[in-house]
Amino acid sequence: MKRLPPSLLSNVQLHPVEGRRGFIQPSDIEAAIRPDVYYMPRTSLVCVENTHNRAGGTVYPLETMAAVRSFATSHGLRVHLDGARIWNAWVASGVHPGDYAVHADTVAVCFSKGLGAPVGSALVSTRGNIERARKFRKIFGGGMRQAGIIAAGALYALEHHVERLAEDHQKARAFAHLLADTPGIHIDMKTVETNIVVIDIAETGKPPAAVIAQLRGLGILVTEAGPSSIRAVMHMDVSIDDVHVAAE
C-alpha cells in the first residue's frame, strides 16, 4: 500500500500513553501470565486493538506496540493485532499499517467499517498460519464461494476510501466540540483522535439504555460504551449537517 502524503493526514494531536485507557503495557501482560501448573490453561496470546474501541477510537502508540511484541516474544507468547480500524490509525497518526504489522504474528483488517465496503475482513499472516486458519474457517462454517464480488468491493474501498477517513475524524471532533459544554455530559477531548466519540452521561442520572432509546426516537443511533457512557461513530454516510443535527 502506498504511503499517505502529509497533507492528507488528520494532523490530530496524539497524547502520551500514560494515563490513557485500554493500552496494554508489558507489566500488564506479566501480571496476567498464568503459572505453569497442570490445572491452569496456558497463556499463549496477547491481543492488541488499533484503534482502541473502548478507549474512544484512540490510536495505539507504535512504541508501545513494539514493547508489547518484544515482551511477548521473550515469554513465548504470540501477538494478534485486531486492526479493524487500522486504516483510521494510519490516517490519524501517519504510521503505516505495515509498521504496526511487523510487531504481530497475525493481523485482522476490516473493509466494511470506515472504508464502507458492503462486507469483508481479511486475516494477514505467514503462509503457514493462513493455511491453518483456512482449516479452522472451514470447520466453523466461515467459507464462501463465488466471493469475487465481495472482494471487488473491498478492493475498491481500499483504493478509494482510505484518505477520506480524515473527514470522519474531523466530523468526530466537530461533534465532540459541539457537545463539550452541554450540562450533564462529559467528553474527554484527548480521546477524540479518530472517528469515535465516547460520551459520559453519568451526571444525567439516566442509564445508557434509556438515553439510547430516546435518541433512537429522534433518528439518532448510538450504542452503549459502558455502565454510564454512550458511543457515537462517524462514517462515510454521516454528513457534517448530520453531525450538527445529532449534536443539537
Side-chain angles (χ1 to χ4, degrees):
M1 294 179 290
K2 64 181 181 180
R3 301 275 169 167
L4 294 178
S7 60
L8 290 172
L9 300 179
S10 292
N11 295 322
V12 66
Q13 179 65 44
L14 300 182
H15 298 273
V17 68
E18 183 179 358
R20 291 165 66 186
R21 296 175 293 140
F23 294 99
I24 297 174
Q25 303 293 321
S27 58
D28 300 319
I29 303 171
E30 186 170 25
I33 296 176
R34 299 184 183 93
D36 187 16
V37 293
Y38 74 91
Y39 54 83
M40 297 192 74
R42 180 175 63 89
T43 302
S44 60
L45 181 67
V46 178
C47 294
V48 174
E49 184 185 38
N50 196 16
T51 63
H52 196 288
N53 184 3
R54 290 288 180 172
T58 44
V59 178
Y60 215 103
L62 182 62
E63 60 272 18
T64 306
M65 181 79 191
V68 166
R69 171 62 168 185
S70 177
F71 179 87
T73 299
S74 68
H75 287 72
L77 308 176
R78 293 194 175 190
V79 176
H80 172 70
L81 173 59
D82 178 352
R85 289 173 299 278
I86 193 71
W87 324 112
N88 296 89
W90 179 15
V91 171
S93 68
V95 178
H96 192 272
D99 295 331
Y100 283 108
V102 296
H103 300 297
D105 295 285
T106 53
V107 183
V109 297
C110 180
F111 308 108
S112 63
K113 285 188 169 69
L115 297 190
V119 64
S121 292
L123 179 67
V124 185
S125 188
T126 63
R127 184 179 299 275
N129 282 340
I130 294 301
E131 289 177 354
R132 187 163 180 257
R134 284 199 177 104
K135 291 180 181 294
F136 282 104
R137 184 184 66 178
K138 182 68 174 178
I139 291 171
F140 292 112
M144 287 187 177
R145 295 184 182 275
Q146 292 80 42
I149 189 65
I150 294 175
L155 284 171
Y156 183 91
L158 190 58
E159 292 170 357
H160 295 87
H161 291 172
V162 172
E163 294 174 358
R164 63 145 301 279
L165 290 173
E167 301 172 13
D168 295 340
H169 302 172
Q170 293 161 2
K171 287 181 288 190
R173 290 196 290 276
F175 181 71
H177 279 294
L178 287 168
L179 291 180
D181 297 325
T182 304
I185 68 172
H186 174 71
I187 298 173
D188 183 355
M189 300 299 296
K190 291 182 178 180
T191 67
V192 187
E193 294 180 351
T194 54
N195 65 322
I196 297 175
V197 181
V198 173
I199 306 163
D200 186 331
I201 59 171
E203 292 182 13
T204 67
K206 297 180 179 181
V211 176
I212 290 170
Q214 185 176 357
L215 290 174
R216 186 183 299 115
L218 297 171
I220 301 167
L221 304 180
V222 296
T223 59
E224 187 173 336
S228 61
S229 59
I230 58 176
R231 181 189 73 148
V233 181
M234 306 300 155
H235 51 84
M236 65 188 305
D237 295 324
V238 175
S239 69
I240 191 63
D241 290 336
D242 293 332
V243 167
H244 282 270
V245 170
E248 183 179 355

